[in-house]
Amino acid sequence: MCRSIKTLRPPSLPEEATEEDIRAAALQFVRKVSGFRAPAAHNREVFDRAVDEIAASTAGLLDGLEVRGGVRTP
């Protein structure tokens, strides 16, 4: 859907995703879905709440994933 959102789990990311990585992905998602790069003042609260909720859900997803298999080396 949004090509600028990168995969946040190993092996795509060599280390765990940071809160900053997760929040940036959530912000990109909300921007894409809403069609607004920056919301108007009257939409700021709902925009920011959506970013917070998606970031929290993303963190929960990443914490709960079980990645099987190792990173392949050439």
Side-chain angles (χ1 to χ4, degrees), residues 2-26:
C2 190
R3 293 182 187 146
S4 61
I5 297 175
K6 62 184 177 182
T7 301
L8 296 179
R9 66 163 182 81
S12 296
L13 215 62
E15 68 282 340
E16 283 190 31
T18 64
E19 283 185 40
E20 186 176 302
D21 293 328
I22 292 169
R23 183 146 183 94

Side-chain angles (χ1 to χ4, degrees):
M1 177 179 160
C2 190
R3 293 182 187 146
S4 61
I5 297 175
K6 62 184 177 182
T7 301
L8 296 179
R9 66 163 182 81
S12 296
L13 215 62
E15 68 282 340
E16 283 190 31
T18 64
E19 283 185 40
E20 186 176 302
D21 293 328
I22 292 169
R23 183 146 183 94
L27 178 59
Q28 284 300 104
F29 179 81
V30 171
R31 284 176 172 168
K32 184 68 170 187
V33 170
S34 70
F36 296 114
R37 186 180 187 300
H42 62 277
N43 287 325
R44 169 63 61 191
E45 185 179 338
V46 70
F47 188 93
D48 289 344
R49 186 171 54 244
V51 172
D52 292 342
E53 291 171 357
I54 292 166
S57 291
T58 300
L61 170 67
L62 293 173
D63 286 344
L65 287 176
E66 180 182 332
V67 180
R68 294 187 177 187
V71 177
R72 294 182 187 176
T73 56

